Amino acid sequence: MPPPTDVDFMRHAIQLAQVAADAGEVPVGAVLVQGDRIIAEGANNPIACHDPTGHAEIVALRAGGRALQSYRLTDTVLYVTLEPCVMCASAIIHARVRRVVFGAFDPKAGAAGSLTNIFTLSGLNHRVDVFGGVLEAECGALLSRFFAQRRT
């Protein structure tokens, strides 16, 4: 059996995003991978947890820290269905994540190239490889459906 691909991990993140949507949260899911193995995952939950930092990425990073018993998540890849915001991008850098793969671009709040690019700020002591657009249409459609339902 071939090792899992970026698409495989993004499909898992999409499943988590659907869990968030079903709970009334903005549908964003995240999966943290080390090697070929998922070590942590997260779904948006700021409403349920009364926590403005309850973004899928933060939830996954916290779970990853517990799984690895370290705040440094070196040699990990974070898959997320939506381009990280400024808060999440900063946390990803501080956690020393090696690579971020995201689905949909976020022109209103994206901090990996859409609104700004936190990952390219000079002077930072860690660089993250960032790649966007994996299953972009599926990730974007999930968000579009969610917000369309909220408006009706």
Side-chain angles (χ1 to χ4, degrees):
M1 183 129 168
T5 66
D6 287 350
V7 169
D8 296 324
F9 290 122
M10 188 62 72
R11 286 197 194 289
H12 187 81
I14 290 170
Q15 292 172 345
L16 294 167
Q18 185 60 57
V19 169
D22 293 344
E25 304 276 1
V26 174
V28 179
V31 177
L32 188 66
V33 173
Q34 190 174 54
D36 291 338
R37 164 177 91 84
I38 294 173
I39 61 167
E41 57 187 36
N44 262 12
N45 66 12
I47 298 167
C49 291
H50 310 289
D51 180 0
T53 68
H55 291 197
E57 299 96 312
I58 302 296
V59 174
L61 292 175
R62 287 178 178 156
R66 287 189 299 274
L68 297 178
Q69 293 293 290
S70 176
Y71 71 98
R72 292 205 172 164
L73 306 176
T74 55
D75 295 322
T76 61
V77 179
L78 184 67
Y79 295 87
V80 60
T81 57
L82 181 65
E83 180 181 359
C85 70
V86 171
M87 174 184 68
C88 292
S90 297
I92 290 163
I93 292 166
H94 286 290
R96 309 295 198 275
V97 171
R98 181 175 50 84
R99 183 170 176 244
V100 173
V101 178
F102 67 89
F105 289 83
D106 185 354
K108 293 183 180 178
S114 289
L115 179 65
T116 190
N117 196 338
I118 297 299
F119 296 104
T120 60
L121 291 176
S122 63
L124 293 176
N125 63 348
H126 178 70
R127 293 284 173 220
V128 178
D129 179 28
V130 180
F131 184 76
V134 174
L135 298 180
E136 180 179 5
E138 291 178 43
C139 295
L142 185 58
L143 288 157
S144 294
R145 280 193 307 272
F146 176 81
F147 287 113
Q149 290 171 348
R150 302 285 280 196
R151 286 190 289 271
T152 59

